[in-house]
Amino acid sequence: MLGLSLLTLLLITGFFLLETRDRTMEDRKIKLRNLVEAAHATTDYYFRQSEEGLLTADDARSQAMMVIEQMRYGDNGYLWINDMKPNMIMHPFAKKLEGEDLSDYQDPNGTRLFVEFVEVVKREGAGFVDYVWQKGDDSTVLSPKLSYVKGFSPWQWVIGTGVYIDDVDAEFYQRARAIAGIILVIMLVMAFISYRIGKSIAR
């Protein structure tokens, strides 16, 4: 009885933890998708302005980039634009990358992330890419990162943004440790009760 009760408790707890982690990750994905969709809609607005003759093509691109460059979220969230080669078109912080060929730009695991961004856009029009990247000033501290990108075909742009997701796993393991402590207490109590019942039956 003690073993079955413990097994049931572990299964229910494990399911709850995994469900919570998946829901948190899905919330992150929805946020990234909505941010890129907003930037994509902004780009489309200026493109239509140029199509209607209200702006030149160069002015439309310039104004779209200016608006997207100012889009911020969270502590340091931002969006960038690269093209399909891939060359960097706009990055709000790494200005030295603008105009640079990013074909060989890769994470410490060898993932050529900008090439992956372009491949996702070519295959599906939009999607997510996982990779690892330096977090903070310490180059030895690498954290998993998730980006969402979407293509804007009239200008051959890839618009994207990304967030670190190490805190999702950290929260998962923190909850797991807390619940493991609770389960241990419950198990000890159940073991004591089972011992007393068994002793009583034997007597």
mmCIF file of all heavy atoms in Angstrom, residues 46 65 67 69-70 87 127 179 197:
data_model
loop_
_atom_site.group_PDB
_atom_site.id
_atom_site.type_symbol
_atom_site.label_atom_id
_atom_site.label_comp_id
_atom_site.label_asym_id
_atom_site.label_seq_id
_atom_site.Cartn_x
_atom_site.Cartn_y
_atom_site.Cartn_z
ATOM 1 N N TYR A 46 4.560 50.136 -43.900
ATOM 2 C CA TYR A 46 5.436 51.037 -44.653
ATOM 3 C C TYR A 46 5.629 50.559 -46.084
ATOM 4 O O TYR A 46 5.779 51.377 -47.014
ATOM 5 C CB TYR A 46 6.778 51.186 -43.941
ATOM 6 C CG TYR A 46 6.680 52.081 -42.731
ATOM 7 C CD1 TYR A 46 6.679 51.551 -41.443
ATOM 8 C CD2 TYR A 46 6.569 53.464 -42.868
ATOM 9 C CE1 TYR A 46 6.573 52.376 -40.322
ATOM 10 C CE2 TYR A 46 6.458 54.295 -41.760
ATOM 11 C CZ TYR A 46 6.465 53.738 -40.497
ATOM 12 O OH TYR A 46 6.354 54.564 -39.399
ATOM 13 N N MET A 65 12.641 50.314 -40.382
ATOM 14 C CA MET A 65 13.777 49.936 -39.540
ATOM 15 C C MET A 65 13.857 50.786 -38.283
ATOM 16 O O MET A 65 14.142 50.285 -37.195
ATOM 17 C CB MET A 65 15.082 50.045 -40.328
ATOM 18 C CG MET A 65 15.320 48.876 -41.261
ATOM 19 S SD MET A 65 17.013 48.863 -41.928
ATOM 20 C CE MET A 65 16.936 50.276 -43.029
ATOM 21 N N VAL A 67 11.420 52.249 -36.647
ATOM 22 C CA VAL A 67 10.373 51.865 -35.695
ATOM 23 C C VAL A 67 10.732 50.557 -35.003
ATOM 24 O O VAL A 67 10.640 50.429 -33.774
ATOM 25 C CB VAL A 67 9.003 51.742 -36.404
ATOM 26 C CG1 VAL A 67 7.958 51.173 -35.452
ATOM 27 C CG2 VAL A 67 8.554 53.108 -36.924
ATOM 28 N N GLU A 69 13.636 49.228 -34.605
ATOM 29 C CA GLU A 69 14.814 49.412 -33.767
ATOM 30 C C GLU A 69 14.449 49.920 -32.386
ATOM 31 O O GLU A 69 15.132 49.613 -31.397
ATOM 32 C CB GLU A 69 15.781 50.400 -34.428
ATOM 33 C CG GLU A 69 17.087 50.567 -33.687
ATOM 34 C CD GLU A 69 18.069 51.454 -34.430
ATOM 35 O OE1 GLU A 69 17.699 51.974 -35.498
ATOM 36 O OE2 GLU A 69 19.211 51.608 -33.949
ATOM 37 N N GLN A 70 13.360 50.675 -32.278
ATOM 38 C CA GLN A 70 12.943 51.240 -30.998
ATOM 39 C C GLN A 70 12.033 50.307 -30.200
ATOM 40 O O GLN A 70 11.679 50.614 -29.060
ATOM 41 C CB GLN A 70 12.213 52.573 -31.227
ATOM 42 C CG GLN A 70 13.077 53.643 -31.873
ATOM 43 C CD GLN A 70 14.327 53.956 -31.081
ATOM 44 O OE1 GLN A 70 14.277 54.084 -29.844
ATOM 45 N NE2 GLN A 70 15.464 54.056 -31.758
ATOM 46 N N ASN A 87 22.814 38.753 -44.454
ATOM 47 C CA ASN A 87 23.539 39.927 -43.984
ATOM 48 C C ASN A 87 22.693 40.631 -42.931
ATOM 49 O O ASN A 87 21.457 40.621 -43.020
ATOM 50 C CB ASN A 87 23.820 40.904 -45.124
ATOM 51 C CG ASN A 87 24.818 40.343 -46.133
ATOM 52 O OD1 ASN A 87 25.672 39.534 -45.787
ATOM 53 N ND2 ASN A 87 24.699 40.765 -47.375
ATOM 54 N N GLY A 127 9.196 30.649 -37.874
ATOM 55 C CA GLY A 127 9.386 29.525 -36.967
ATOM 56 C C GLY A 127 10.403 29.824 -35.879
ATOM 57 O O GLY A 127 10.952 30.929 -35.797
ATOM 58 N N ILE A 179 9.026 20.087 -4.147
ATOM 59 C CA ILE A 179 8.019 19.020 -4.082
ATOM 60 C C ILE A 179 8.645 17.722 -3.597
ATOM 61 O O ILE A 179 8.008 16.935 -2.880
ATOM 62 C CB ILE A 179 7.345 18.849 -5.451
ATOM 63 C CG1 ILE A 179 6.518 20.098 -5.772
ATOM 64 C CG2 ILE A 179 6.458 17.616 -5.477
ATOM 65 C CD1 ILE A 179 5.882 20.084 -7.143
ATOM 66 N N ILE A 197 0.444 0.226 11.887
ATOM 67 C CA ILE A 197 -0.664 -0.662 11.525
ATOM 68 C C ILE A 197 -0.166 -2.112 11.427
ATOM 69 O O ILE A 197 -0.809 -3.042 11.924
ATOM 70 C CB ILE A 197 -1.288 -0.211 10.193
ATOM 71 C CG1 ILE A 197 -2.013 1.122 10.357
ATOM 72 C CG2 ILE A 197 -2.271 -1.269 9.657
ATOM 73 C CD1 ILE A 197 -2.512 1.721 9.065
#
